[in-house]
Amino acid sequence: MLVDDLSLVKPLGKGSFAEVFLALKQGTNEKFAIKLIDKEFAADPIVKKYLNSEIAIHKDIKHENIIKLYDVKETSQNFCLVIEYCNGGTLFEGLKTYQKIHNVPFPEEFVQYFMRQIISAVKYLHDKRIIHRHITLDNILVHYDSEEDKKNQNLIKSKIKIIDLGFARYLKKGELAYSTLGS
């Protein structure tokens, strides 16, 4: 499948609202992820509200530990969010793999390394009066700068990226959020 000049290569994941695919830009083979949201599903007023909010928030933020939104495209069947590609899978998958190989959970040094990045991103969002409302290990991706670090699962040289701002929202000064969402 093609979305403008992007070829969808393989599925990366599936959530309640969307499917995410690895995409290559024709001519350069630059990697992106594309989040596909079915237009019929997005016609529901509640889904439409969350989708519009996710796009608006993405356009308002820029942080090294939050996934980047590059573009929003449409096909006849889908809304397509072109986002930054992360090559290391989810933090949940990383934890499972680490435990399987080493028979222990992440060492404290790893946890501190990840938490610094997560807290930096959450503080950034909160400073902008945005609450994420769905941070899970599955909504945190890992990215490696080198293939060698990825191959060796050198997590201490990875970068964490928070994803899925579908339930995120702005809060007005003094406002509290009471709804329960996500996992």
Side-chain angles (χ1 to χ4, degrees), residues 67-134:
I67 204 79
K68 291 179 194 163
L69 172 69
Y70 292 110
D71 201 1
V72 179
K73 300 176 180 286
E74 283 186 53
T75 67
S76 58
Q77 294 180 319
N78 297 296
F79 292 107
C80 310
L81 278 59
V82 181
I83 54 180
E84 181 179 10
Y85 170 69
C86 290
N87 61 10
T90 69
L91 191 54
F92 180 72
E93 293 164 341
L95 176 59
K96 282 177 50 177
T97 302
Y98 189 90
Q99 285 178 319
K100 186 176 180 181
I101 293 169
H102 302 284
N103 205 29
V104 294
F106 287 147
E108 187 174 335
E109 175 187 19
F110 283 27
V111 175
Q112 290 174 359
Y113 179 74
F114 300 142
M115 289 305 296
R116 274 193 294 276
Q117 294 176 71
I118 294 165
I119 289 168
S120 175
V122 171
K123 182 184 181 321
Y124 172 83
L125 291 173
H126 288 187
D127 287 348
K128 292 182 118 346
R129 307 205 55 78
I130 298 167
I131 55 173
H132 187 284
R133 303 197 295 178
H134 196 207

